[in-house]
Amino acid sequence: LEHNWRQKHRVPGRTPCPFPGLASGVLEMRVKEGSKIRNLMGFAMARMQGDVSGVGVSGGCGLRQVVFSGSGRAVTKTITCAEIMKRKVGSLHQLTKLRYKGVREVWESHEGGASEMTVHRTVPSISILLSKDPLDPQEPGYQPPETLKLSTLSNPSSRGQSK
């Protein structure tokens, strides 16, 4: 938009969870453009690793599933959060869903008056389900847990040494 307009507010469209049939105790992390990864990961890691004090989950074994979702400029940050969790928790099954969602933005003029403009945009959105329990490998967007490549870790002589 031109320089004499400023964004007054933004109303994201409501979209249902792309993973039907999830258990009721799944942690949903909504990643925003201004979210701090450190804060998001601190909260999510504590829940997945069993520090659920005051949340009502008994046993202290942690949650089994978490969903990271973000749209627009938060898509890359959402992917980063999921990758960090996969690396730190390990053995997590992943299911990724991409889609578009509508956003309504209201802009107001700097030149005074009651001049407003509403803009409807379509932005990309991503939802990533990470699960300690197996997921359907036939589902589009499924990624199995990563396995460590022991051959490169246990054989340091194979890295760049000449005879």
Side-chain angles (χ1 to χ4, degrees):
L1 293 172
E2 305 233 0
H3 297 296
N4 55 348
W5 292 87
R6 95 175 161 83
Q7 189 173 357
K8 187 175 176 183
H9 66 274
R10 180 179 191 172
V11 181
R14 284 278 146 219
T15 53
C17 180
F19 308 109
L22 282 183
S24 61
V26 174
L27 176 63
E28 287 191 52
M29 300 295 296
R30 289 191 179 91
V31 182
K32 309 270 192 214
E33 181 183 350
S35 299
K36 300 279 186 244
I37 291 178
R38 176 179 58 246
N39 296 341
L40 292 167
M41 295 312 299
F43 183 85
M45 291 297 294
R47 300 311 180 276
M48 286 294 278
Q49 292 177 338
D51 179 18
V52 288
S53 54
V55 179
V57 177
S58 61
C61 61
L63 297 174
R64 307 291 303 164
Q65 296 179 323
V66 62
V67 175
F68 287 97
S69 57
S71 61
R73 294 183 187 162
V75 166
T76 54
K77 194 173 284 193
T78 304
I79 295 168
T80 299
C81 289
E83 292 298 324
I84 290 170
M85 174 146 308
K86 282 171 36 179
R87 190 169 58 241
K88 288 190 174 185
V89 173
S91 298
L92 291 175
H93 297 262
Q94 177 177 332
L95 192 55
T96 304
K97 298 290 183 186
L98 291 170
R99 56 192 175 170
Y100 288 93
K101 70 182 205 178
V103 175
R104 183 173 57 93
E105 297 174 341
V106 178
W107 295 76
E108 66 182 1
S109 174
H110 280 308
E111 298 172 358
S115 180
E116 280 191 353
M117 174 173 47
T118 301
V119 178
H120 295 275
R121 295 192 311 133
T122 303
V123 296
S125 174
I126 190 168
S127 295
I128 303 171
L129 169 63
L130 298 176
S131 176
K132 294 178 181 177
D133 303 318
L135 300 170
D136 181 3
Q138 302 304 314
E139 183 78 23
Y142 174 77
Q143 292 180 34
E146 288 186 2
T147 56
L148 291 175
K149 294 178 177 60
L150 295 175
S151 60
T152 57
L153 293 175
S154 62
N155 191 358
S157 64
S158 66
R159 281 192 247 148
Q161 290 184 350
S162 59
K163 294 182 180 177

